[in-house]
Amino acid sequence: MGKITRKKHLEMKLQSIPPHPNPKVGLEQYTTPSVIASDLIWNANSLGDIENKDILDLGCGTGILTIASALMGANFACGVDVDD
């Protein structure tokens, strides 16, 4: 996979991640839209916080931020959640 060089390309890749199938209100679960996830990770990467870093996404839900981090060149990206 080639390096992602445009935020729109990151967003397009993240659009294929399915939404949360059965969100639980008690766990405050919701689906993060791809446009928000791509913006957050793109900006974090521009600050030097993603590429070549180890990323731990606690309460990852669908894992969209974990996946985006991996796509942007994280050394290691792991998502952890209490819900399957």
Side-chain angles (χ1 to χ4, degrees):
M1 172 177 39
K3 182 176 168 112
I4 294 177
T5 58
R6 297 187 186 268
K7 183 169 64 166
K8 186 66 178 173
H9 294 162
L10 177 61
E11 181 184 342
M12 290 167 48
K13 287 197 175 276
L14 297 179
Q15 286 175 347
S16 65
I17 299 171
H20 199 292
N22 188 20
K24 297 179 179 116
V25 175
L27 294 177
E28 297 182 23
Q29 294 174 328
Y30 55 89
T31 298
T32 302
S34 59
V35 66
I36 292 174
S38 62
D39 191 51
L40 176 72
I41 298 301
W42 188 266
N43 290 333
N45 189 57
S46 72
L47 295 171
D49 292 335
I50 302 293
E51 191 173 7
N52 299 319
K53 304 285 185 184
D54 294 334
I55 305 297
L56 178 59
D57 182 5
L58 300 175
C60 67
T62 62
I64 194 166
L65 298 177
T66 307
I67 294 166
S69 297
L71 290 170
M72 290 303 295
N75 282 336
F76 176 81
C78 179
V80 179
D81 203 293
V82 298
D83 191 29
D84 293 340

Coordinates of all heavy atoms in Angstrom, one line a residue:
M1 N 0.8 -1.2 0.0 CA 0.0 0.0 0.0 C 0.9 1.2 0.0 O 1.8 1.3 0.8 CB -0.9 0.0 1.2 CG -1.7 1.2 1.4 SD -2.8 1.2 2.8 CE -2.0 0.4 4.1
G2 N 0.6 2.2 -0.9 CA 1.4 3.4 -0.9 C 1.0 4.4 0.2 O 0.0 4.2 0.8
K3 N 1.9 5.3 0.4 CA 1.6 6.3 1.4 C 0.4 7.2 1.0 O 0.3 7.6 -0.1 CB 2.9 7.2 1.6 CG 2.8 8.2 2.7 CD 4.1 8.9 2.9 CE 3.9 10.1 3.7 NZ 4.5 10.0 5.0
I4 N -0.4 7.5 2.0 CA -1.5 8.4 1.8 C -1.0 9.8 1.9 O -0.4 10.2 2.9 CB -2.6 8.1 2.8 CG1 -3.2 6.7 2.6 CG2 -3.7 9.2 2.7 CD1 -4.3 6.3 3.6
T5 N -1.3 10.6 0.8 CA -0.7 11.9 0.7 C -1.8 13.0 0.7 O -1.5 14.2 0.7 CB 0.1 12.1 -0.6 OG1 -0.7 11.8 -1.7 CG2 1.3 11.2 -0.5
R6 N -3.1 12.6 0.8 CA -4.2 13.6 0.8 C -5.2 13.1 1.8 O -5.6 11.9 1.9 CB -4.9 13.7 -0.6 CG -4.0 14.2 -1.6 CD -4.7 14.5 -2.9 NE -3.8 14.9 -4.0 CZ -3.5 16.2 -4.2 NH1 -4.0 17.1 -3.5 NH2 -2.7 16.4 -5.2
K7 N -5.7 14.1 2.6 CA -6.7 13.7 3.6 C -7.9 13.1 3.0 O -8.5 12.2 3.6 CB -7.1 15.0 4.4 CG -8.0 14.7 5.5 CD -8.2 15.9 6.5 CE -8.8 17.1 5.8 NZ -9.3 18.1 6.8
K8 N -8.4 13.6 1.8 CA -9.5 13.0 1.2 C -9.3 11.5 0.9 O -10.3 10.7 1.0 CB -9.8 13.8 -0.1 CG -11.1 13.4 -0.8 CD -12.3 13.7 0.0 CE -13.6 13.4 -0.7 NZ -14.7 13.5 0.2
H9 N -8.1 11.1 0.5 CA -7.9 9.7 0.3 C -8.0 8.9 1.6 O -8.5 7.7 1.5 CB -6.5 9.5 -0.3 CG -6.4 10.1 -1.7 ND1 -5.1 10.4 -2.3 CD2 -7.3 10.5 -2.6 CE1 -5.3 10.9 -3.5 NE2 -6.6 11.0 -3.7
L10 N -7.5 9.4 2.7 CA -7.7 8.7 4.0 C -9.2 8.6 4.3 O -9.7 7.5 4.6 CB -7.0 9.5 5.1 CG -7.2 9.0 6.5 CD1 -6.6 7.5 6.6 CD2 -6.5 9.9 7.5
E11 N -10.0 9.7 4.1 CA -11.4 9.6 4.3 C -12.1 8.6 3.5 O -12.9 7.8 3.9 CB -12.0 11.0 4.1 CG -13.5 11.1 4.3 CD -14.1 12.4 3.9 OE1 -13.4 13.4 3.8 OE2 -15.4 12.4 3.8
M12 N -11.7 8.5 2.2 CA -12.3 7.5 1.3 C -12.0 6.1 1.7 O -12.9 5.2 1.7 CB -11.8 7.8 -0.1 CG -12.3 9.0 -0.7 SD -11.5 9.6 -2.2 CE -11.5 8.2 -3.3
K13 N -10.8 5.8 2.2 CA -10.5 4.5 2.7 C -11.3 4.2 4.0 O -11.8 3.0 4.2 CB -9.0 4.3 3.0 CG -8.2 4.2 1.8 CD -6.8 3.7 2.1 CE -6.0 3.5 0.9 NZ -6.2 2.2 0.2
L14 N -11.5 5.2 4.9 CA -12.3 4.9 6.1 C -13.8 4.8 5.9 O -14.4 4.2 6.8 CB -12.0 6.1 7.1 CG -10.5 6.3 7.5 CD1 -10.4 7.4 8.5 CD2 -10.0 5.0 8.2
Q15 N -14.3 5.2 4.8 CA -15.7 5.1 4.5 C -16.1 3.6 4.4 O -17.3 3.4 4.6 CB -16.1 5.9 3.2 CG -16.1 7.3 3.4 CD -16.3 8.1 2.1 OE1 -16.3 7.5 1.0 NE2 -16.6 9.4 2.2
S16 N -15.2 2.7 4.1 CA -15.6 1.3 4.0 C -15.8 0.6 5.3 O -16.2 -0.5 5.4 CB -14.6 0.6 3.1 OG -13.3 0.6 3.8
I17 N -15.4 1.3 6.4 CA -15.6 0.6 7.8 C -17.0 0.7 8.1 O -17.6 1.8 8.2 CB -14.7 1.4 8.8 CG1 -13.2 1.3 8.4 CG2 -14.9 0.8 10.2 CD1 -12.3 2.2 9.3
P18 N -17.6 -0.5 8.4 CA -19.0 -0.5 8.8 C -19.3 0.2 10.1 O -18.5 0.3 11.0 CB -19.4 -2.0 8.9 CG -18.1 -2.7 8.7 CD -17.0 -1.8 8.4
P19 N -20.5 0.8 10.2 CA -20.9 1.5 11.4 C -21.1 0.5 12.5 O -21.2 -0.7 12.3 CB -22.2 2.2 11.1 CG -22.8 1.4 9.9 CD -21.6 0.9 9.2
H20 N -21.2 1.0 13.7 CA -21.4 0.1 14.9 C -22.7 -0.6 14.7 O -23.7 0.1 14.5 CB -21.4 0.9 16.2 CG -21.2 0.1 17.4 ND1 -22.1 -0.8 17.8 CD2 -20.1 0.0 18.2 CE1 -21.6 -1.4 18.9 NE2 -20.4 -0.9 19.2
P21 N -22.8 -1.9 14.8 CA -24.0 -2.7 14.5 C -25.1 -2.5 15.5 O -26.3 -2.6 15.2 CB -23.5 -4.1 14.4 CG -22.3 -4.2 15.2 CD -21.6 -2.8 15.1
N22 N -24.7 -2.4 16.8 CA -25.7 -2.3 17.9 C -25.1 -1.5 19.0 O -24.8 -2.0 20.1 CB -26.0 -3.7 18.3 CG -27.2 -3.8 19.3 OD1 -28.0 -2.8 19.4 ND2 -27.3 -4.8 20.0
P23 N -25.1 -0.1 18.9 CA -24.5 0.7 19.9 C -25.3 0.6 21.2 O -26.5 0.6 21.2 CB -24.6 2.1 19.3 CG -25.5 2.0 18.2 CD -25.6 0.6 17.7
K24 N -24.6 0.6 22.3 CA -25.1 0.6 23.7 C -25.0 2.0 24.3 O -24.0 2.5 24.5 CB -24.4 -0.5 24.5 CG -24.6 -1.9 24.0 CD -23.8 -2.9 24.8 CE -24.0 -4.3 24.3 NZ -22.8 -4.9 23.8
V25 N -26.2 2.5 24.7 CA -26.2 3.8 25.3 C -25.4 3.9 26.6 O -24.7 4.8 26.8 CB -27.7 4.2 25.6 CG1 -27.7 5.6 26.3 CG2 -28.5 4.3 24.3
G26 N -25.4 2.8 27.4 CA -24.7 2.8 28.6 C -23.2 2.9 28.4 O -22.5 3.3 29.3
L27 N -22.7 2.4 27.3 CA -21.3 2.5 27.0 C -20.9 3.7 26.1 O -19.8 3.9 25.7 CB -20.8 1.2 26.3 CG -20.9 -0.1 27.1 CD1 -20.5 -1.3 26.2 CD2 -20.1 0.0 28.3
E28 N -21.9 4.6 25.9 CA -21.7 5.8 25.1 C -21.1 5.5 23.7 O -20.2 6.1 23.3 CB -20.9 6.8 25.8 CG -21.6 7.3 27.1 CD -20.8 8.4 27.8 OE1 -20.0 9.1 27.2 OE2 -21.0 8.5 29.0
Q29 N -21.6 4.4 23.1 CA -21.1 4.0 21.8 C -21.8 4.8 20.7 O -23.0 5.0 20.7 CB -21.3 2.5 21.6 CG -20.5 1.7 22.6 CD -20.9 0.2 22.5 OE1 -22.0 -0.2 22.1 NE2 -19.9 -0.6 22.7
Y30 N -21.0 5.2 19.7 CA -21.5 5.8 18.5 C -20.5 5.6 17.4 O -19.4 5.3 17.7 CB -21.8 7.3 18.7 CG -20.6 8.1 19.2 CD1 -19.7 8.7 18.4 CD2 -20.4 8.2 20.6 CE1 -18.6 9.3 18.8 CE2 -19.3 8.9 21.1 CZ -18.4 9.5 20.2 OH -17.3 10.1 20.7
T31 N -20.9 5.8 16.2 CA -20.0 5.7 15.1 C -19.4 7.0 14.7 O -20.1 8.0 14.6 CB -20.8 5.2 13.8 OG1 -21.4 3.9 14.1 CG2 -19.9 5.0 12.6
T32 N -18.1 7.0 14.7 CA -17.4 8.2 14.3 C -17.4 8.3 12.8 O -16.9 7.4 12.1 CB -15.9 8.2 14.8 OG1 -15.9 8.0 16.2 CG2 -15.2 9.5 14.4
P33 N -17.9 9.4 12.2 CA -17.9 9.6 10.8 C -16.5 9.6 10.2 O -15.6 10.1 10.8 CB -18.6 10.9 10.5 CG -19.4 11.2 11.8 CD -18.6 10.5 12.9
S34 N -16.4 9.1 9.0 CA -15.0 9.0 8.3 C -14.4 10.4 8.2 O -13.2 10.6 8.3 CB -15.1 8.3 7.0 OG -16.0 8.9 6.1
V35 N -15.3 11.4 7.9 CA -14.7 12.8 7.7 C -14.1 13.3 9.0 O -13.1 14.0 9.0 CB -15.8 13.7 7.2 CG1 -16.9 14.0 8.2 CG2 -15.2 15.0 6.7
I36 N -14.7 13.0 10.1 CA -14.1 13.4 11.4 C -12.9 12.6 11.8 O -11.9 13.2 12.2 CB -15.2 13.3 12.5 CG1 -16.3 14.3 12.3 CG2 -14.6 13.5 13.9 CD1 -17.5 14.2 13.2
A37 N -12.9 11.3 11.6 CA -11.8 10.5 11.9 C -10.6 10.9 11.0 O -9.5 11.0 11.5 CB -12.1 9.0 11.7
S38 N -10.8 11.1 9.7 CA -9.7 11.4 8.8 C -9.1 12.8 9.2 O -7.9 13.0 9.2 CB -10.2 11.4 7.4 OG -11.2 12.4 7.1
D39 N -10.0 13.7 9.6 CA -9.5 15.1 10.0 C -8.7 15.0 11.3 O -7.6 15.6 11.3 CB -10.7 16.0 10.2 CG -10.3 17.5 10.4 OD1 -9.5 18.0 9.5 OD2 -10.7 18.1 11.3
L40 N -9.1 14.2 12.2 CA -8.4 14.1 13.5 C -7.1 13.5 13.3 O -6.0 14.0 13.8 CB -9.3 13.3 14.5 CG -8.6 13.0 15.8 CD1 -8.5 14.2 16.7 CD2 -9.4 11.9 16.6
I41 N -7.0 12.3 12.6 CA -5.8 11.6 12.4 C -4.8 12.4 11.5 O -3.6 12.4 11.7 CB -6.0 10.2 11.9 CG1 -6.8 9.4 13.0 CG2 -4.7 9.5 11.6 CD1 -6.2 9.3 14.4
W42 N -5.4 13.0 10.5 CA -4.5 13.8 9.5 C -3.8 14.9 10.3 O -2.6 15.2 10.2 CB -5.4 14.4 8.4 CG -4.6 15.1 7.4 CD1 -4.2 16.4 7.3 CD2 -3.9 14.4 6.3 NE1 -3.5 16.6 6.2 CE2 -3.2 15.4 5.5 CE3 -3.9 13.1 5.8 CZ2 -2.5 15.1 4.4 CZ3 -3.2 12.8 4.7 CH2 -2.5 13.8 4.0
N43 N -4.6 15.6 11.2 CA -4.0 16.7 12.0 C -3.0 16.2 13.0 O -2.0 16.8 13.2 CB -5.1 17.5 12.6 CG -5.9 18.4 11.6 OD1 -5.4 18.7 10.6 ND2 -7.2 18.6 11.9
A44 N -3.3 15.1 13.6 CA -2.4 14.5 14.6 C -1.1 14.1 13.9 O 0.0 14.3 14.4 CB -3.0 13.3 15.3
N45 N -1.2 13.6 12.7 CA 0.0 13.2 12.0 C 0.8 14.4 11.6 O 2.0 14.3 11.6 CB -0.4 12.4 10.7 CG 0.7 11.7 10.0 OD1 1.5 11.0 10.6 ND2 0.9 12.1 8.8
S46 N 0.1 15.5 11.2 CA 0.9 16.7 10.8 C 1.6 17.3 12.0 O 2.6 18.0 11.8 CB -0.1 17.7 10.2 OG -0.9 18.3 11.2
L47 N 1.2 16.9 13.2 CA 1.9 17.4 14.4 C 3.0 16.4 14.8 O 3.7 16.6 15.8 CB 0.9 17.6 15.6 CG -0.1 18.7 15.4 CD1 -1.1 18.7 16.5 CD2 0.6 20.0 15.3
G48 N 3.2 15.3 14.1 CA 4.2 14.3 14.4 C 3.7 13.2 15.4 O 4.6 12.6 16.0
D49 N 2.4 13.1 15.6 CA 1.9 12.2 16.6 C 1.5 10.8 16.1 O 0.9 10.0 16.9 CB 0.8 12.9 17.4 CG 1.2 14.0 18.2 OD1 2.4 14.1 18.6 OD2 0.4 14.9 18.5
I50 N 1.6 10.5 14.8 CA 1.1 9.2 14.3 C 2.2 8.4 13.6 O 2.6 7.3 14.0 CB -0.1 9.4 13.3 CG1 -1.2 10.2 14.0 CG2 -0.5 8.1 12.7 CD1 -1.9 9.4 15.1
E51 N 2.8 9.0 12.6 CA 3.8 8.2 11.8 C 5.0 7.8 12.6 O 5.5 8.7 13.4 CB 4.2 9.1 10.6 CG 5.1 8.3 9.6 CD 5.4 9.1 8.3 OE1 5.1 10.3 8.3 OE2 5.9 8.5 7.4
N52 N 5.4 6.6 12.5 CA 6.5 6.0 13.3 C 6.3 6.0 14.8 O 7.2 6.0 15.5 CB 7.8 6.7 12.9 CG 8.1 6.5 11.4 OD1 7.9 5.5 10.9 ND2 8.6 7.6 10.8
K53 N 5.0 6.0 15.2 CA 4.7 6.0 16.6 C 3.9 4.7 16.9 O 3.3 4.1 16.0 CB 3.8 7.2 17.0 CG 4.4 8.5 16.7 CD 5.5 8.9 17.7 CE 6.0 10.3 17.4 NZ 7.1 10.7 18.2
D54 N 3.8 4.3 18.2 CA 3.0 3.2 18.7 C 1.7 3.9 19.2 O 1.7 4.7 20.0 CB 3.7 2.4 19.8 CG 4.9 1.7 19.3 OD1 5.0 1.4 18.1 OD2 5.8 1.4 20.1
I55 N 0.6 3.4 18.7 CA -0.7 4.0 19.0 C -1.6 3.0 19.7 O -1.7 1.8 19.3 CB -1.5 4.4 17.7 CG1 -0.6 5.3 16.8 CG2 -2.8 5.0 18.0 CD1 -0.3 6.6 17.4
L56 N -2.2 3.4 20.8 CA -3.1 2.6 21.6 C -4.4 3.4 21.7 O -4.5 4.5 22.2 CB -2.6 2.3 23.0 CG -3.5 1.5 23.9 CD1 -3.8 0.1 23.3 CD2 -2.9 1.3 25.3
D57 N -5.5 2.8 21.1 CA -6.8 3.5 21.0 C -7.7 2.8 22.0 O -8.2 1.7 21.8 CB -7.3 3.3 19.6 CG -8.7 4.0 19.4 OD1 -9.2 4.7 20.3 OD2 -9.2 3.9 18.3
L58 N -7.9 3.4 23.2 CA -8.7 2.8 24.3 C -10.2 3.2 24.0 O -10.4 4.4 23.8 CB -8.2 3.3 25.6 CG -6.8 2.9 26.0 CD1 -6.4 3.5 27.3 CD2 -6.6 1.4 26.0
G59 N -11.1 2.3 24.1 CA -12.5 2.5 23.8 C -12.6 2.8 22.3 O -13.3 3.7 21.9
C60 N -12.1 1.9 21.5 CA -11.9 2.1 20.1 C -13.2 1.9 19.3 O -13.3 2.4 18.1 CB -10.9 1.2 19.5 SG -11.3 -0.6 19.5
G61 N -14.2 1.3 19.8 CA -15.5 1.1 19.1 C -15.3 0.3 17.8 O -14.8 -0.8 17.9
T62 N -15.5 0.9 16.7 CA -15.4 0.2 15.4 C -13.9 0.2 15.0 O -13.6 -0.5 14.0 CB -16.1 0.9 14.3 OG1 -15.6 2.3 14.1 CG2 -17.6 1.0 14.6
G63 N -13.0 0.9 15.7 CA -11.6 0.9 15.4 C -11.2 1.8 14.3 O -10.1 1.8 13.8
I64 N -12.1 2.8 13.9 CA -11.8 3.7 12.8 C -10.5 4.5 13.1 O -9.7 4.7 12.2 CB -13.0 4.6 12.5 CG1 -12.8 5.2 11.1 CG2 -13.3 5.6 13.6 CD1 -14.1 5.9 10.6
L65 N -10.3 5.0 14.3 CA -9.1 5.8 14.6 C -7.8 4.9 14.6 O -6.8 5.3 14.2 CB -9.2 6.5 15.9 CG -10.4 7.5 15.9 CD1 -10.4 8.2 17.3 CD2 -10.2 8.6 14.9
T66 N -8.0 3.6 15.0 CA -6.9 2.7 15.0 C -6.5 2.4 13.6 O -5.3 2.4 13.2 CB -7.3 1.4 15.7 OG1 -7.8 1.7 17.0 CG2 -6.1 0.4 15.8
I67 N -7.5 2.1 12.7 CA -7.2 1.8 11.3 C -6.6 3.0 10.6 O -5.6 2.9 9.9 CB -8.5 1.4 10.6 CG1 -9.0 0.0 11.2 CG2 -8.3 1.3 9.1 CD1 -10.4 -0.4 10.9
A68 N -7.1 4.2 10.9 CA -6.6 5.4 10.3 C -5.1 5.6 10.7 O -4.3 6.0 9.8 CB -7.4 6.6 10.7
S69 N -4.8 5.4 11.9 CA -3.4 5.5 12.4 C -2.5 4.6 11.6 O -1.4 4.9 11.2 CB -3.3 5.3 13.9 OG -4.1 6.2 14.6
A70 N -3.0 3.3 11.5 CA -2.2 2.4 10.7 C -2.0 2.8 9.3 O -0.9 2.7 8.7 CB -2.8 1.0 10.8
L71 N -3.0 3.3 8.7 CA -2.9 3.8 7.3 C -2.0 5.0 7.1 O -1.4 5.2 6.1 CB -4.3 4.2 6.8 CG -5.3 3.0 6.5 CD1 -6.7 3.6 6.3 CD2 -4.8 2.2 5.4
M72 N -1.8 5.8 8.2 CA -1.0 6.9 8.2 C 0.5 6.6 8.6 O 1.3 7.5 8.8 CB -1.6 8.1 9.0 CG -2.8 8.7 8.4 SD -2.6 9.3 6.7 CE -1.4 10.6 7.0
G73 N 0.8 5.4 8.8 CA 2.2 5.0 9.0 C 2.6 4.8 10.5 O 3.8 4.8 10.8
A74 N 1.6 4.5 11.4 CA 2.0 4.2 12.7 C 2.8 2.9 12.7 O 2.6 2.0 11.9 CB 0.7 4.0 13.6
N75 N 3.8 2.8 13.6 CA 4.6 1.6 13.7 C 3.7 0.4 14.2 O 3.8 -0.7 13.7 CB 5.7 1.7 14.8 CG 6.9 2.5 14.2 OD1 7.1 2.5 13.0 ND2 7.6 3.1 15.1
F76 N 2.8 0.7 15.1 CA 2.0 -0.3 15.7 C 0.7 0.5 16.1 O 0.7 1.6 16.7 CB 2.6 -0.9 17.0 CG 1.8 -1.8 17.8 CD1 1.6 -3.1 17.3 CD2 1.1 -1.4 18.9 CE1 0.9 -4.0 18.0 CE2 0.3 -2.3 19.6 CZ 0.2 -3.6 19.2
A77 N -0.5 -0.1 15.8 CA -1.8 0.5 16.2 C -2.6 -0.6 16.8 O -2.9 -1.6 16.1 CB -2.4 1.2 15.0
C78 N -3.1 -0.4 18.0 CA -3.9 -1.4 18.7 C -5.2 -0.7 19.2 O -5.1 0.3 19.9 CB -3.1 -2.0 19.8 SG -4.0 -3.3 20.8
G79 N -6.3 -1.3 19.0 CA -7.6 -0.8 19.5 C -8.1 -1.7 20.5 O -8.1 -2.9 20.3
V80 N -8.6 -1.2 21.7 CA -9.1 -2.0 22.8 C -10.5 -1.5 23.2 O -10.7 -0.3 23.3 CB -8.1 -1.9 24.0 CG1 -8.7 -2.7 25.2 CG2 -6.7 -2.3 23.6
D81 N -11.4 -2.4 23.4 CA -12.8 -2.0 23.8 C -13.3 -3.1 24.7 O -13.0 -4.2 24.5 CB -13.6 -1.8 22.5 CG -14.8 -0.9 22.8 OD1 -15.7 -1.2 23.6 OD2 -14.8 0.3 22.3
V82 N -14.2 -2.7 25.5 CA -14.9 -3.7 26.4 C -16.0 -4.5 25.7 O -16.4 -5.5 26.1 CB -15.5 -3.1 27.7 CG1 -14.4 -2.4 28.5 CG2 -16.6 -2.1 27.4
D83 N -16.5 -3.9 24.6 CA -17.5 -4.6 23.8 C -16.9 -5.3 22.6 O -16.1 -4.7 21.9 CB -18.5 -3.5 23.4 CG -19.8 -4.1 22.9 OD1 -20.2 -5.2 23.3 OD2 -20.5 -3.4 22.0
D84 N -17.4 -6.5 22.3 CA -16.9 -7.2 21.2 C -17.2 -6.5 19.9 O -16.5 -6.4 19.0 CB -17.6 -8.6 21.0 CG -17.2 -9.5 22.2 OD1 -16.2 -9.2 22.8 OD2 -17.9 -10.5 22.4

